[in-house]
Amino acid sequence: SKEALYLELFQEHVSSRYTGILETVQKSELPPKEKLRYFLVEDVSVARHFGSSSHLFVNLLPHSASSSCSRLSDMVDELICLRVSAVRGILQEGMECGDFSPGDPGLATAAVMGALSFYEVLHCGFFPEEHASRFFCDSHLWDGEEFFRLILNGLAR
């Protein structure tokens, strides 16, 4: 069935990539700032790879009431929770060891995930380039390195 195929494709191509990223972050001995940078780079890489097709894929979910589609929706929700949990863990670790300024890890997580989501919408095929240039005239100069530097230096002491 179409739903079973979606489940298999999502598990094989999307979930497995994120699982690899999250396992690397958890096992890493890198300082929190480098863990966060790794996560951001890899998350953007996945978004670029799937581009707007992943956005379309997720938008198809509510249009079916089948249990397979419900399972796929649960998998997407679980993946989002894992991503948020990983970022929160990195930020909390960094705050505890003094690499990041002290603060509320939940609020910092919301800020980082919000910035990351916006960056991916703007630069990974979710938002037409002509609209991006209309709203953000210098968006073509706002490359990944500049984004990562802003996020990391905004949190680092």
Side-chain angles (χ1 to χ4, degrees):
S1 76
K2 182 170 58 171
E3 289 86 5
L5 180 60
Y6 278 173
L7 280 171
E8 181 65 28
L9 287 171
F10 186 82
Q11 182 62 40
E12 184 68 26
H13 296 286
V14 180
S15 287
S16 63
R17 294 216 27 205
Y18 277 112
T19 300
I21 294 167
L22 298 174
E23 286 175 356
T24 299
V25 166
Q26 289 173 344
K27 293 177 183 176
S28 173
E29 296 294 323
L30 291 171
K33 186 175 179 180
E34 291 305 311
K35 283 184 188 179
L36 183 58
R37 186 180 196 299
Y38 171 82
F39 178 86
L40 294 172
V41 168
E42 293 301 314
D43 198 84
V44 168
S45 174
V46 172
R48 279 199 175 113
H49 178 76
F50 292 105
S52 58
S53 62
S54 63
H55 187 64
L56 174 64
F57 182 73
V58 171
N59 281 339
L60 292 174
L61 296 178
H63 299 297
S64 173
S66 75
S67 61
S68 294
C69 196
S70 174
R71 174 65 188 127
L72 186 56
S73 182
D74 290 345
M75 289 170 69
V76 170
D77 288 346
E78 182 180 321
L79 187 59
I80 291 168
C81 288
L82 288 172
R83 289 173 62 228
V84 170
S85 178
V87 170
R88 184 185 175 104
I90 294 167
L91 295 174
Q92 194 159 359
E93 177 187 351
M95 289 175 185
E96 289 170 0
C97 75
D99 284 355
F100 298 145
S101 299
D104 179 340
L107 181 59
T109 301
V112 169
M113 294 304 292
L116 178 60
S117 294
F118 183 77
Y119 180 86
E120 289 174 352
V121 164
L122 195 61
H123 289 283
C124 298
F126 303 110
F127 196 64
E129 185 62 35
E130 61 272 9
H131 295 311
S133 63
R134 191 171 91 208
F135 295 113
F136 308 98
C137 296
D138 57 351
S139 65
H140 63 284
L141 302 174
W142 190 43
D143 64 5
E145 288 303 314
E146 180 67 14
F147 169 74
F148 302 135
R149 185 191 62 71
L150 177 66
I151 293 296
L152 294 171
N153 291 338
L155 293 173
R157 283 187 158 187

